[in-house]
Amino acid sequence: MIKCFLQIVFVFLFFNNLYSQTYYTKQKPFTEGELLEFDVVYNWGLIWVNAGYVSFNVKHEQVNDKTLYHFVGLGNSKKNWDWFFKVRDKFESYNDTSTLHPYKYIRDCNDGGEWVYNDVTFDQKNKRAIGYIKTKKKPNLKTDTIAINYLTFDPITMIYYARSIDYKRYNSGDQIPFTLLLDNKVYYRKMTYLGKETITTDYGKTSCFKFKATLIPGTMFKDGDVMTVWLSDDDNRLPIKVETPIVIGSVKVFLKKAQSLKYK
């Protein structure tokens, strides 16, 4: 739900050169206490099922006398859907309040009986991360040292990073680079800005910035699958709607509730 390559040196330089072209909002569009809740709808042919829910919460944590963002994402299938595909996911990330650079990332997920635990500590100064991971198929704890760059984010940080981009500075078709660390592997990706679109959901009629990103193939996604996201065109940059194909069918995520927002 909440889930997610040329020579390495060339790619590293390429993305660092593009960093100067990434524009950000003057202020972060979220604040401590913000809580967003979403409905997850599964579609297969003519079948539509309200299958689960997702929430994202912003907290502040004091770590070594430094105030960090503590992002928490929870994803669960509904109990009457557990018989088909039970989901119990938790993502956590501790981040710099200015740059959003992650210091710590924890993923503890069980999707349809396939579980994974991933604990990553980021060493931003030395451009590396130390990741510990174990899965149902490989239950022995594995340790990796991973090279990272200035734009390397974990999956939950990517949500807040995408909200912090100043889309008003881009034209439709422009691409925005990012580097995703998932399950101790680094993936170089781009978001493609698609312009503005007004959509109507249960949350209301909303003018949105629209972009798409190529997904990472695995158990849930096929190679070439693209996720499409609609962010509200206001200071809060709320994720109003997300659409993504999966191996069988597709998933749509709709904002249901937003509280303690930074801007009214």
Side-chain angles (χ1 to χ4, degrees), residues 206-237:
T206 313
S207 174
C208 294
F209 299 109
K210 182 180 179 181
F211 67 86
K212 66 179 181 179
T214 304
L215 296 166
I216 297 167
T219 56
M220 292 291 291
F221 308 115
K222 296 181 291 185
D223 191 21
D225 279 351
V226 172
M227 175 177 64
T228 306
V229 181
W230 289 260
L231 293 179
S232 63
D233 175 16
D234 60 16
D235 291 333
N236 289 306
R237 295 289 196 275

Side-chain angles (χ1 to χ4, degrees), residues 29 61 159 200 202:
E61 297 283 354
I159 296 169
T200 301
D202 289 344

Side-chain angles (χ1 to χ4, degrees), residues 36-51:
L36 305 180
E37 297 180 353
F38 301 82
D39 282 329
V40 179
V41 179
Y42 172 71
N43 171 235
W44 181 33
L46 298 176
I47 300 174
W48 293 84
V49 179
N50 195 335

Side-chain angles (χ1 to χ4, degrees), residues 54 218 243:
V54 175
E243 282 187 5

